[in-house]
């Protein structure tokens, strides 16, 4: 008599074993991997608990602020005390604002001094460099001498004039010069240090150094500011799967805290870390494409074949990670993705995903079971409510979503909730003129708000300067 077979396939190891169901994700696990799965859930619960405690602390701090408002109400009974209090508050604001402005100017002057030193040391400069230095110094001088950003506004009242401080604000919608400056590559397709071959992802560090994926050269290149040539900082040893090689990498991020770079080594199906020319595989057997890291050090990776984005805690890459977007198969429903590529994570740990083959960008809030369309989603096309194979995605401080509209050779900007986007740069054909893009991929901002575009088929990095 044959023994009854009550074994099924474990979701993790794919072996036929006695398995146990998880009601939350509806998957079955063998005893070993069920324990690991439960540990991941407990870790996530601890994380949620910490978030809860931080929120409670914020509420308590807000209550203390309400007590101050009551005290201000008592002060209002005596006009002299009102004047004294208001004057003190305004002095504090003026002093702090002036200190901040001076600190910013001193920081920019220090940065400008470093640039001047670098130009002196390299002894390679031209009129463009000199014009840039002159313009930067002029801007700082105007900012120092311009008192119009802060002034006193008086409100007439029965007995006294109340004053308040008015600070000017940046305009919400940023505009960019339409002719780009080539800051890396642009010397044709090739493998020389002044060339690129099918670049993909990009990262700009705090010093405005450019790190870019040089895809078909199987390497990562760093371009210092004003440099005419790049420097190989990872790969560059031919296509391969040795630890010192890469195979068609797609994205790169710089972990400035740990002084390392993390690479989506797509052809080798791995995420690898390079630190001081030492390599370590962080994640294996993943069809990775896009990378992101949030403020708390969590690493996010898009998997274009599993149609999902997962998150890993720094240093805990031996587990399966946590699904934060997709993970329900391929499709165009709100809980599905179809070939996700580049990703962006905001301060609330919401994940923005370029849903490449669905011609849309999705936003998955932390803990959400499905995403929300925030750009495109109206089939492929070139209208303002459409995208065509979107790639790079970044979000600015105002929540505006910038998308590299790969198939339309342009960069679009979308405001969440709006039905249409607007063309930011490109959209003038697919050639190599300064106002044209050809298969744009990665996107990034520097700390001044300038926009950098990986101009893929033009084998260059374009910088579009912000118009202040």
């Amino acid at each position: 008599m044959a023994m009854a077979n009550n074994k099924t396939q474990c979701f993790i190891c794919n072996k036929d074993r006695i398995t146990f169901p998880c009601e939350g994700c509806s998957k079955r696990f063998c005893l070993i991997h069920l324990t690991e799965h439960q540990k991941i859930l407990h870790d996530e619960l601890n994380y949620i608990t910490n978030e809860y405690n931080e929120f409670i602390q914020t509420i308590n701090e807000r209550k203390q602020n309400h007590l101050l408002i009551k005290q201000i109400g008592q002060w209002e009974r005596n006009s002299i005390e009102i004047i004294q209090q208001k004057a003190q508050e305004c002095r504090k604001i003026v002093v702090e604002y002036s200190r901040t402005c001076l600190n910013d100017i001193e920081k920019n002057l220090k940065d400008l001094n470093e640039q001047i030193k670098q130009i002196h040391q390299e002894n390679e400069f031209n009129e463009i460099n000199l014009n840039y230095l002159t313009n930067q110094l002029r801007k700082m001088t105007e900012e120092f001498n311009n008192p119009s950003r802060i002034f006193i506004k008086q409100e007439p009242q029965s007995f006294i004039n109340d004053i308040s401080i008015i600070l000017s604000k940046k305009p919400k919608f940023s505009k960019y010069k339409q002719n780009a400056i080539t800051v890396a590559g642009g010397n044709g397709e090739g493998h020389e240090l002044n060339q690129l071959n099918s670049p993909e992802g990009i990262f700009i560090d705090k010093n405005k150094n450019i790190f870019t994926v040089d895809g078909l050269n199987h390497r990562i290149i760093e371009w210092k500011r004003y440099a005419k040539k790049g420097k190989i900082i990872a790969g560059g040893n031919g296509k391969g799967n040795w630890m010192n090689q890469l195979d068609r990498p797609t994205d790169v991020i710089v972990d400035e805290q740990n002084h390392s770079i993390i690479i989506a080594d797509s052809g080798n199906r791995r995420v690898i870390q390079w630190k001081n020319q030492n390599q370590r595989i962080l994640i294996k057997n993943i069809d990775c494409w896009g990378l992101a890291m949030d403020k708390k050090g969590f690493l996010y990776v898009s998997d274009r074949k599993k149609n999902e984005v997962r998150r890993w805690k720094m240093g805990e890459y031996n587990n399966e990670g946590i699904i934060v977007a997709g993970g329900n198969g391929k499709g165009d429903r709100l809980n599905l993705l179809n070939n996700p590529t580049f990703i962006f994570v905001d301060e609330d740990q919401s994940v923005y995903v370029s849903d490449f083959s669905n011609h849309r960008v999705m936003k998955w809030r932390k803990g959400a079971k499905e995403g929300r369309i925030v750009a495109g989603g109206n089939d492929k096309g070139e209208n303002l409510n459409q995208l065509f194979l979107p790639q790079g995605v970044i979000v600015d401080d105002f929540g505006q979503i910038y998308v590299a509209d790969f198939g339309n050779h342009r960069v679009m900007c979308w405001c969440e909730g709006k039905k249409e986007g607007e063309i930011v740069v490109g959209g003038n054909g697919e050639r190599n003129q300064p106002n044209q893009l050809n298969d744009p991929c990665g996107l990034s901002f520097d700390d001044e708000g300038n926009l950098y575009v990986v101009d893929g088929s033009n084998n260059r990095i374009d910088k579009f300067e912000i118009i202040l």
Side-chain angles (χ1 to χ4, degrees):
M1 180 190 242
M3 182 180 294
N5 184 4
N6 60 350
K7 296 182 178 180
T8 56
Q9 192 176 72
C10 171
F11 176 73
I12 300 298
C13 62
N14 296 323
K15 295 180 179 179
D16 289 333
R17 293 180 174 176
I18 296 175
T19 59
F20 305 88
C22 172
E23 295 182 1
C25 64
S26 301
K27 297 181 176 65
R28 300 186 70 88
F29 304 88
C30 66
L31 183 59
I32 294 175
H33 292 109
L34 178 65
T35 303
E36 293 180 0
H37 183 64
Q38 289 174 334
K39 182 180 182 302
I40 292 172
L41 295 179
H42 279 292
D43 290 343
E44 182 68 10
L45 177 60
N46 291 334
Y47 177 79
I48 294 171
T49 302
N50 291 334
E51 290 282 299
Y52 169 82
N53 292 333
E54 290 178 6
F55 187 49
I56 288 294
Q57 183 178 353
T58 302
I59 291 176
N60 290 333
E61 291 174 353
R62 186 68 57 84
K63 287 180 180 178
Q64 294 177 2
N65 288 337
H66 290 325
L67 293 176
L68 292 176
I69 292 174
K70 291 181 181 179
Q71 293 175 14
I72 293 172
Q74 294 175 354
W75 295 336
E76 289 175 342
R77 297 171 187 174
N78 189 307
S79 61
I80 296 177
E81 291 181 2
I82 291 176
I83 294 172
Q84 292 174 338
Q85 175 65 24
K86 197 67 177 180
Q88 182 62 24
E89 290 176 358
C90 291
R91 290 191 196 99
K92 183 178 179 181
I93 293 173
V94 170
V95 170
E96 291 181 350
Y97 179 78
S98 299
R99 185 184 298 118
T100 300
C101 288
L102 290 174
N103 288 341
D104 289 343
I105 292 173
E106 288 177 343
K107 178 179 177 295
N108 291 334
L109 281 172
K110 183 178 179 181
D111 185 38
L112 188 63
N113 185 42
E114 292 298 323
Q115 297 172 36
I116 294 172
K117 286 182 179 179
Q118 181 179 349
I119 290 175
H120 274 299
Q121 290 173 357
E122 296 178 354
N123 199 25
E124 291 185 5
F125 60 93
N126 53 35
E127 289 83 358
I128 295 177
N129 303 119
L130 297 178
N131 288 336
Y132 171 81
L133 296 175
T134 302
N135 288 334
Q136 290 296 99
L137 190 58
R138 177 182 55 78
K139 288 179 182 178
M140 283 183 269
T141 304
E142 289 177 355
E143 183 177 354
F144 179 76
N145 293 324
N146 183 11
S148 62
R149 295 185 65 188
I150 180 169
F151 56 91
I152 292 177
K153 178 182 178 182
Q154 294 189 355
E155 299 289 348
Q157 295 181 0
S158 300
F159 302 102
I160 60 172
N161 289 332
D162 191 15
I163 63 172
S164 58
I165 299 298
I166 307 298
L167 301 178
S168 64
K169 297 181 180 179
K170 276 188 174 183
K172 183 174 181 180
F173 297 98
S174 299
K175 300 294 182 181
Y176 295 89
K177 295 180 180 178
Q178 294 302 295
N179 285 340
I181 301 170
T182 298
V183 291
N187 297 297
E189 176 186 304
H191 62 273
E192 301 296 330
L193 291 180
N194 67 342
Q195 295 179 306
L196 297 169
N197 190 353
S198 295
E200 293 275 0
I202 185 175
F203 186 96
I204 311 293
D205 71 8
K206 60 185 179 182
N207 296 318
K208 297 186 179 63
N209 297 318
I210 302 167
F211 298 78
T212 187
V213 170
D214 194 7
L216 290 183
N217 283 326
H218 315 290
R219 64 189 185 184
I220 307 298
I221 301 289
E222 178 186 9
W223 296 70
K224 298 287 188 180
R225 294 183 66 180
Y226 313 116
K228 297 179 180 179
K229 294 182 180 180
K231 176 184 176 182
I232 300 172
I233 59 170
N237 299 302
K239 175 182 176 181
N241 60 4
W242 293 97
M243 291 296 288
N244 68 339
Q245 293 179 306
L246 299 171
D247 182 359
R248 189 59 197 264
T250 52
D251 205 3
V252 61
I253 55 177
V254 178
D255 183 358
E256 297 185 69
Q257 183 175 354
N258 294 310
H259 306 290
S260 67
I261 62 171
I262 299 174
I263 305 164
D265 191 9
S266 183
N268 285 320
R269 302 185 65 245
R270 66 189 182 187
V271 176
I272 188 168
Q273 180 187 53
W274 283 59
K275 185 176 182 179
N276 298 325
Q277 292 302 311
N278 295 317
Q279 303 87 32
R280 179 167 70 103
I281 297 175
L282 302 182
I283 306 167
K284 300 178 181 178
N285 302 320
I286 181 170
D287 292 291
C288 51
W289 189 280
L291 301 174
M293 183 174 288
D294 66 22
K295 298 292 185 181
K296 297 184 178 181
F298 287 91
L299 177 66
Y300 299 72
V301 187
S302 63
D303 188 320
R304 55 193 175 90
K305 287 193 176 178
K306 289 185 178 179
N307 296 293
E308 65 186 21
V309 179
R310 288 181 182 258
R311 184 185 75 200
W312 279 266
K313 188 175 182 180
M314 182 67 70
E316 297 184 5
Y317 300 113
N318 56 341
N319 60 41
E320 62 179 3
I322 297 173
I323 295 176
V324 294
N328 301 301
K330 179 170 70 174
D332 60 2
R333 297 198 303 272
L334 293 181
N335 67 335
L336 303 175
L337 297 170
N338 188 356
N339 194 10
T341 55
F342 289 97
I343 54 179
F344 179 89
V345 181
D346 67 15
E347 292 187 353
D348 298 324
Q349 294 183 311
S350 294
V351 181
Y352 296 78
V353 187
S354 278
D355 196 4
F356 185 78
S357 296
N358 280 329
H359 313 290
R360 66 189 185 185
V361 174
M362 302 289 290
K363 177 182 179 181
W364 291 66
R365 297 186 65 85
K366 183 181 177 182
K369 299 298 183 183
E370 62 181 31
R372 176 182 178 185
I373 300 172
V374 292
N378 298 296
D379 296 324
K380 67 180 180 181
E382 60 182 15
N383 295 323
L384 293 180
N385 68 339
Q386 294 177 305
L387 296 170
F388 184 14
L389 302 175
Q391 287 272 39
V393 56
I394 51 176
V395 182
D396 68 12
D397 293 338
F398 300 106
Q400 298 175 118
I401 304 154
Y402 290 75
V403 187
D405 194 4
F406 180 87
N408 287 321
H409 314 291
R410 64 191 184 186
V411 175
M412 298 283 289
C413 179
W414 294 67
C415 292
E416 188 171 346
K418 298 294 184 180
K419 294 182 180 180
E420 292 185 348
E422 63 179 37
I423 300 173
V424 178
V425 294
N428 302 304
E430 52 184 292
R431 302 191 68 180
N432 61 358
Q433 295 303 307
N435 69 337
Q436 293 179 310
L437 298 171
N438 193 351
D439 298 337
C441 303
L443 298 177
S444 187
F445 293 122
D446 64 21
D447 58 3
E448 295 179 351
N450 299 308
L451 176 64
Y452 294 74
V453 183
V454 178
D455 197 1
S457 292
N458 281 328
N459 298 297
R460 67 189 184 190
I461 308 298
D462 294 328
K463 175 184 176 182
F464 293 90
E465 293 185 325
I466 191 170
I467 300 174
L468 298 176

